[in-house]
Amino acid sequence: MKAKADPPRDRLSMIKRLNSFILSKILGIRLRPTGAVILGGFAGLSLTASVLPTVISFLGATDDFSARLDLAGFAVYAFLVWAVGGWAAQRGTSAQAGAVILGLVGLVSAAIFTGLAYGAELELILLCAAAGLAYGSIGGMLIAIALGENDHATPG
C-alpha cells in the first residue's frame, strides 16, 4: 500500500510569508547611501595607498614603497573619514556640493596624515593637501552624480 501525503497548506503559506518577509527586508536596504559609504571608504584607502605615496615620491621625500609603509597606519582612519564623506556627498544637493564636501575631506585628511607621518615640511603638506583636494573633489562629484537621490545631482 502506497500512501501519498500532501504538505499541509499552513506550511506552504508560512514559507511564502517568510520569503515575502526576506524579500521586503532586502529591498528595504537603502542601496545608494550604502554604495556611497563603500565607495567613499575605499577612496580614502586609495588616498593613503596610492595618491599620497605618489605625490610624496614625486617630491623626492622618499620612494613609493616607503611612503606606503609610512602612511599604512592611517588607512583605517582614512577609510572611516572618507566613508562618512562619501555618505555626505551622496546626500548633498548637487554635484558641486558633493565635490566640495569630499574635496574638503580630502584636503584635511591628506594634510593631517602627511603632517603626522613626515613632520612639518610645509611644501610636502601643501602639495599632498592639494592632491587630496583634487582627488576628493572628483570623487565627491562622481558619487553625487551617480548615487544622488535627487534630480539636482546631474550637472547642467
Side-chain angles (χ1 to χ4, degrees), residues 2-8:
K2 291 185 177 180
K4 192 174 184 184
D6 291 328

Side-chain angles (χ1 to χ4, degrees), residues 85-106:
W87 173 80
Q90 184 265 338
R91 304 285 292 168
T93 57
S94 67
Q96 292 82 12
V100 168
I101 291 167
L102 211 56
L104 289 175
V105 168

Side-chain angles (χ1 to χ4, degrees), residues 37-64:
V37 166
I38 291 169
L39 286 175
F42 281 111
L45 185 62
S46 174
L47 178 80
T48 59
S50 182
V51 175
L52 293 181
T54 301
V55 172
I56 291 167
S57 69
F58 178 75
L59 293 173
T62 186
D63 62 311
D64 277 343

Side-chain angles (χ1 to χ4, degrees), residues 17 25 55 66 80-81 84 94 96 106 108 118 122 136 155:
R17 283 194 324 253
K25 290 301 176 187
V55 172
S66 297
L80 294 174
V81 169
V84 172
S94 67
Q96 292 82 12
V108 171
Y118 292 99
L122 189 59

Side-chain angles (χ1 to χ4, degrees), residues 3-9 11-12:
K4 192 174 184 184
D6 291 328
R9 289 183 184 245
R11 182 177 291 171
L12 288 176

